[in-house]
C-alpha cells in the first residue's frame, strides 16, 4: 500500500491554469471545494495564487491590500491522469492550461515554481509596494508633520527610499522639503 502512495507523489507536477483575470480566487475556491467534496484531492495536491502586498494612501491613511502577482494565472500541483485534466479545464472561469501542446498540458519545471514562490516570499519580506506612485510635476498636499496643510509640486521622486522632494511656498518663498510617501496625498 505504501509503495502506491510513493509512486503517486512522484507523478505530481506543477501546471499553470489560465484564468479570467480577476477571477483567480474564484478558481482556487472552486478547486479547493472540489478537493474537499470529491475524490479530486487524490489528484490535486496544491492550488496557489502568487500574491504581493501593496499599499495606497487614502485620506491620509495607509491601506494595505494583497494583489495578484501573476494576474490570470493559478499554479496547481496535480497528477493529470484520466479525466482530471478535463475536469480542471472545465472549472468555471478557467480558460485552459498554459503551454498546451496537442491538447496536453506542459508541466513547468520545479526550478520555475521555486523561482516564482521565492519571488513572492521575497516580496512578502521586503514589505509593501506603493500602489499609486507619485510623479514629478504632480501637485500634492502635506498631511503630516510640521508643514501639514501646505501644498506643493513634486520636484523629485525616490522610490527606493520612499521619499519625495516637494517645492512648497512658505512666506512667499519656494522652499524644498524632503517628505516620505506617507506624509503627503495627491490633490
Amino acid at each position: 500500500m505504501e509503495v502506491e502512495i510513493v509512486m503517486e507523489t512522484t507523478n505530481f507536477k506543477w501546471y499553470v491554469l489560465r484564468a479570467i483575470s480577476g477571477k483567480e480566487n474564484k478558481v482556487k475556491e472552486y478547486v479547493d471545494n472540489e478537493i474537499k467534496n470529491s475524490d479530486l484531492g487524490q489528484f490535486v495536491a496544491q492550488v496557489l495564487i502568487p500574491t504581493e502586498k501593496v499599499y495606497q494612501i487614502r485620506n491620509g491613511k495607509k491601506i494595505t491590500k494583497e494583489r495578484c502577482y501573476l494576474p490570470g494565472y493559478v499554479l496547481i500541483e496535480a497528477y493529470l491522469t484520466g479525466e482530471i485534466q478535463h475536469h480542471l479545464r472545465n472549472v468555471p472561469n478557467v480558460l485552459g492550461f498554459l503551454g498546451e501542446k496537442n491538447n496536453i498540458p506542459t508541466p513547468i519545471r520545479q526550478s520555475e515554481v521555486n523561482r516564482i514562490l521565492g519571488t513572492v516570499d521575497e516580496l512578502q519580506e521586503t514589505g509593501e509596494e506603493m500602489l499609486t506612485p507619485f510623479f514629478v510635476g504632480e501637485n500634492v498636499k502635506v498631511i503630516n508633520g510640521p508643514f501639514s496643510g501646505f501644498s506643493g509640486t513634486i520636484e523629485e521622486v525616490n522610490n527606493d527610499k520612499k521619499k519625495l522632494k516637494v517645492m512648497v511656498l512658505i512666506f512667499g518663498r519656494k522652499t524644498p522639503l524632503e517628505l516620505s510617501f506617507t506624509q503627503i496625498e495627491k490633490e
Side-chain angles (χ1 to χ4, degrees):
M1 193 83 170
E2 288 181 35
V3 177
E4 285 182 52
I5 295 170
V6 172
M7 280 181 54
E8 279 186 25
T9 56
T10 58
N11 290 326
F12 279 82
K13 291 187 172 36
W14 284 95
Y15 298 91
V16 179
L17 279 175
R18 293 184 312 124
I20 295 172
S21 191
K23 301 286 186 184
E24 298 91 352
N25 285 324
K26 294 277 185 200
V27 171
K28 182 179 178 355
E29 280 177 35
Y30 186 89
V31 174
D32 285 342
N33 283 336
E34 287 291 309
I35 289 170
K36 287 178 193 164
N37 300 329
S38 69
D39 62 345
L40 189 64
Q42 297 172 14
F43 302 100
V44 177
Q46 297 183 64
V47 183
L48 298 174
I49 302 171
T51 57
E52 62 183 336
K53 284 186 179 171
V54 293
Y55 71 92
Q56 288 179 291
I57 297 175
R58 263 195 219 143
N59 301 329
K61 291 185 174 61
K62 184 176 167 182
I63 298 167
T64 305
K65 61 184 192 178
E66 282 198 353
R67 170 176 77 178
C68 195
Y69 175 64
L70 298 170
Y73 298 112
V74 177
L75 298 175
I76 188 162
E77 187 179 16
Y79 174 41
L80 297 185
T81 181
E83 290 293 310
I84 301 304
Q85 171 185 334
H86 178 72
H87 189 78
L88 291 172
R89 190 178 278 118
N90 290 322
V91 167
N93 300 315
V94 168
L95 303 171
F97 284 91
L98 184 69
E100 285 185 288
K101 290 182 183 147
N102 299 328
N103 226 13
I104 299 169
T106 307
I108 57 175
R109 291 189 298 275
Q110 187 62 44
S111 61
E112 290 174 317
V113 174
N114 293 342
R115 185 177 55 80
I116 291 167
L117 297 178
T119 304
V120 170
D121 288 344
E122 197 176 288
L123 287 169
Q124 300 293 342
E125 287 169 16
T126 57
E128 304 101 7
E129 174 190 324
M130 182 72 174
L131 191 59
T132 49
F134 296 103
F135 302 103
V136 174
E138 194 171 29
N139 290 327
V140 292
K141 182 178 180 182
V142 181
I143 57 166
N144 195 350
F147 298 100
S148 181
F150 284 90
S151 293
T153 307
I154 297 175
E155 295 285 315
E156 195 178 299
V157 179
N158 185 340
N159 282 321
D160 295 335
K161 292 184 179 180
K162 309 274 189 252
K163 297 270 186 189
L164 299 164
K165 187 183 278 185
V166 180
M167 199 60 77
V168 179
L169 198 64
I170 301 174
F171 302 122
R173 180 180 278 170
K174 286 187 176 182
T175 308
L177 300 176
E178 188 171 307
L179 303 166
S180 73
F181 283 5
T182 57
Q183 287 182 289
I184 62 165
E185 69 179 10
K186 295 182 180 190
E187 283 191 324

